[in-house]
Amino acid sequence: MQIQVKCSCGAEKCPEWAIIELQGVVEVQPSFQHSLQNLQIGLLCRPSSQENYTFTVGYHELTGYKVALKKPMVVLKKIKYMDVERQIDEATSSSSCVELDVVGFIRHKILFKTRPTALISGPQPTVKEKINAEGA
Amino acid sequence: MLLNLQPTSSVSIQYHPFFGPHDDLVLLELDEKLLSDVLYQRVTLRGQPDEDAVLCTKSKTYSVKFVGTSNSVFLIPPADYSTSHESGGENYNQQVPTASVIKVAPGNMELVEVAPRLDKLKSILSENLYSSDEASTAMGDLYKWDDLINKVQASDDELKAGLQALSAVEIDGYWRIVDEKYMDVILRMLLHNSVLNDWSLDSLVEDKVVSVLESDGFPRKLVYHCLNVYGSRVEEAMDGGVWRLDARRVCVHFARGILREGKRKMESFMEEWLRMIPEEIQPSFDMLEGEVLTEKLGVETWVRALSVSSLPTTPADRFSILFKERAKWEWKDLEPYIRDLNVPGLSSEALLLKYTRRSQPSIDAEPVFSAR
């Protein structure tokens, strides 16, 4: 079986995606669990001309930096479709096809790996950051 | 946007209107040099449903593995990204720029270069060897190039090299391995005709050889195949189509034939072997390295067949069989049986370290390799 890896947007137009990476888990207040869409997670700021960033989630402030990935990544989308014209092949049990489409590439991420600091007298957050048990 | 956030500015990070698990979106980490192959649609994934997928470029094969992370990796597409749903989600806040997280990635796929999985190629082509009574016995599965691509986890270039190593031949669009006994018949007929017609084995004229053997009843394709298997084209010939038989390949062929029925005493083997080899060819026992093993049993030396080409291509399986054949090996005997092993990133010293135990009975004795 052979699955073609396509890039339907074209190599030159392939867009760059971004990653924000936290050492931790973002927790959402129970009442908002099922309607996350459009909810704000936090505010990302770049205070100076350096590649340092702050990320404020609820009453926690994280500090981090932008870093180039040691190896680039691509974002692949699996596409399943039924090929009604193709005869059922004895080698495969169904006539569905899978393709992979490259929808983007990633070269940088903004990484937060230090312990967050608590902002005093912040508003009651709907989203807050929780530190991993083994976190830094 | 997020990637070009200017100094002293901020952006609100939100869950995308279509935030969700999106199991159909995966991250694949790759070496810089592979990036353009991927973007320009020069890679494919190959494998059967019950196999681990491999990713193939034109010339290399990579295994694909998932590596998880305990971090939260927020994946943020470009601003105009929409899924199969309509592009919805109003922008409540036009003043504050926003960036939306479509998914939290549990990890990413990684590639590790691997040797092509060619053992399967050999076994499927061996299901239906092409033999002299082909017309009446051709049945079962035969494989065209596209069928092989679907079944064998190797890049195109590696598959071609694998077919070459197996001395496979394409007949009527199907890739076939010819039965050794049939190859023997054709070779002997070629040698017989060389004597009859006074042809030099160093300069066989293709047209003559083909027409004579064709009139003897051999398919044209197979006569060419015979020349390819046992000889090589003479490049310097003025009018193309001149071949030179390769001494080693011819000698190995006859040795295999003699030992097919079992081991033989050295004297008996040598006597028959020398008798079968054409006068023009000078045999030497060294030609049989990687093809035969010699053993002393009592005062007698015996010879038996063990061809490296019959052994598995994966190192673990190869060493396992070698140590079953013989518990202890000296380097000079072992080397021909492992020199073709290909593991990207592992030198032959590293292979020995990984799969063998080295011992040296005394300082001036030869080191000996045995199973770990």
Side-chain angles (χ1 to χ4, degrees), chain B residues 116-185:
Chain B
R117 299 180 183 162
L118 293 172
D119 286 340
K120 195 173 182 192
L121 176 65
K122 185 174 184 190
S123 74
I124 60 179
L125 291 184
S126 302
E127 284 167 11
N128 268 299
L129 297 177
Y130 188 99
S131 63
S132 50
D133 48 351
E134 173 67 12
S136 53
T137 59
M139 60 182 175
D141 293 328
L142 295 181
Y143 302 90
K144 297 190 172 199
W145 173 259
D146 287 341
D147 301 318
L148 294 178
I149 294 284
N150 275 324
K151 292 225 161 215
V152 178
Q153 292 186 302
S155 65
D156 286 5
D157 287 354
E158 287 163 329
L159 185 56
K160 280 191 195 115
L163 287 168
Q164 179 112 348
L166 289 171
S167 297
V169 59
E170 196 176 19
I171 299 174
D172 297 332
Y174 295 101
W175 281 94
R176 311 293 301 273
I177 294 177
V178 181
D179 187 49
E180 277 210 357
K181 294 204 181 102
Y182 192 25
M183 290 304 289
D184 184 60
V185 170

Side-chain angles (χ1 to χ4, degrees), chain A residues 51-53 64-68 108-111, chain B residues 2-4:
Chain A
E51 292 287 1
N52 293 323
Y53 294 79
Y65 52 92
K66 185 197 270 192
V67 66
H108 304 276
K109 63 183 177 189
I110 301 179
L111 177 62
Chain B
L2 181 65
L3 295 163
N4 295 311

Side-chain angles (χ1 to χ4, degrees), chain A residues 1 7 12 24 37 41 46, chain B residues 5 8 13 40-41 72 150:
Chain A
M1 218 172 72
C7 183
E12 290 86 22
Q37 288 75 7
I41 301 172
R46 183 182 173 187
Chain B
L5 193 59
T8 71
I13 310 295
Y40 285 97
Q41 307 190 145
S72 294
N150 275 324

